[in-house]
Amino acid sequence: MSISENLKYLKASLPPGVKLVAVSKTKSDPEILEAYNTGQRVFGENKVQELAAKYERMPRDIEWHLIGHLQSNKVKYIAPFVSMIHSVDSGKLLEVIDREGEKNKRVIDCLLQFHIALEETKFGLSPNEARVILSSEEYLKMKHVRICGVMGMATFTDDTARVRREFQFLHDTFIRLKNEYFADHPAFRELSMGMSDDFRLAMECGSTMVRIGSAVFGARKYL
Ligand SMILES: *Cc1c(COP(=O)(O)O)cnc(C)c1O
């Protein structure tokens, strides 16, 4: 199936409250434009350099999301334009994003990434680490970041019961943090979970944002 057929099919299966982030990492400009021409405006990339380069070349009304691990020293390359950073996994990184937001006179939308999978290689906070950040004086002073919710990646496995438990844990974490820290913040409403192989399960567990690559663009040749 073509990219536009994939998108049409996918969009028909997403309920109205669920946003599709089309993950375009490793994909070419014509492939991205094919998706764009069907009306898709939200794209996700996992590498800073690739994101910044594509931002320069692609139409300006695209909302670019960074979904991959972010090093503090690279925030400056995306701070002027990024629509959302899904991968905040430390207080130090959040401070740098806040500083770069200030330099660019904007507020940068962020999600806190949680470690919900078995794989050690996946990044993310524990709920208590998030509480330490959200209770810190440093965080309370930040004016150029807005935390809009949470993100996580489930274990890569066929064990759907396990994946469901991980998504439920993330949903639970989202609800708890909302009650504890964001009760008066309507912007805290995103639960970014679900990829090509598990987005249906993620939506059953309350996902509001699915990050889908191969089911839109076809298989990647490398990661
Ligand atoms: C690559 C990637 C995705 C999309 O993966 P697919 O399996 O191709 O849908 C989603 N989230 C993150 C963080 C990724 O790096």
Side-chain angles (χ1 to χ4, degrees), residues 4-192:
S4 49
E5 285 169 324
N6 287 341
L7 273 170
K8 203 170 133 196
Y9 171 77
L10 260 172
K11 282 183 180 159
S13 62
L14 299 187
V18 178
K19 192 168 193 170
L20 171 63
V21 180
V23 176
S24 51
K25 62 189 184 196
T26 79
K27 297 297 170 180
S28 67
D29 294 2
E31 290 170 298
I32 294 172
L33 288 171
E34 182 177 345
Y36 179 87
N37 288 332
T38 70
Q40 180 67 27
R41 290 294 179 272
V42 185
F43 291 85
E45 290 282 339
N46 69 335
K47 294 204 170 100
V48 165
Q49 253 109 343
E50 193 173 343
L51 175 59
K54 285 175 174 169
Y55 165 74
E56 289 299 331
R57 299 194 300 261
M58 291 289 127
R60 280 299 139 107
D61 61 342
I62 288 181
E63 261 186 53
W64 290 103
H65 290 210
L66 184 80
I67 59 171
H69 184 60
L70 177 57
Q71 288 170 296
S72 299
N73 60 350
K74 293 192 175 164
V75 175
K76 57 178 179 283
Y77 300 114
I78 58 170
F81 69 88
V82 71
S83 284
M84 184 172 272
I85 297 174
H86 289 229
S87 44
V88 174
D89 59 1
S90 75
K92 177 175 166 263
L93 177 60
L94 198 60
E95 277 179 49
V96 175
I97 297 170
D98 183 61
R99 211 153 55 227
E100 292 297 327
E102 182 172 14
K103 282 187 201 160
N104 288 282
K105 300 188 173 58
R106 61 188 297 252
V107 175
I108 300 178
D109 283 347
C110 294
L111 304 177
L112 297 176
Q113 181 173 357
F114 287 87
H115 188 267
I116 58 172
L118 286 174
E119 293 103 331
E120 291 288 333
T121 50
K122 286 182 176 157
F123 292 94
L125 300 161
S126 68
N128 282 334
E129 287 168 338
R131 289 187 175 94
V132 170
I133 295 172
L134 296 171
S135 312
S136 68
E137 268 179 52
E138 289 80 8
Y139 169 67
L140 294 173
K141 280 189 275 189
M142 293 179 196
K143 293 198 167 62
H144 297 86
V145 291
R146 180 169 72 159
I147 297 183
C148 298
V150 306
M151 179 272 219
M153 285 169 89
T155 303
F156 183 69
T157 173
D158 291 335
D159 180 355
T160 54
R162 155 144 229 124
V163 173
R164 182 185 292 277
R165 277 201 306 278
E166 292 174 354
F167 285 149
Q168 278 167 343
F169 175 78
L170 189 61
H171 179 258
D172 201 57
T173 302
F174 169 73
I175 298 289
R176 283 167 198 260
L177 294 179
K178 180 150 186 72
N179 291 335
E180 291 169 35
Y181 297 95
F182 297 99
D184 304 323
H185 296 72
F188 189 89
R189 60 193 165 98
E190 303 296 355
L191 186 42
S192 167

Side-chain angles (χ1 to χ4, degrees), residues 23 25 46 67-68 151 153 195-197 211-215 220:
V23 176
K25 62 189 184 196
N46 69 335
I67 59 171
M151 179 272 219
M153 285 169 89
M195 314 188 357
S196 295
D197 291 333
R211 308 177 311 270
I212 302 188
S214 32
R220 285 180 299 277

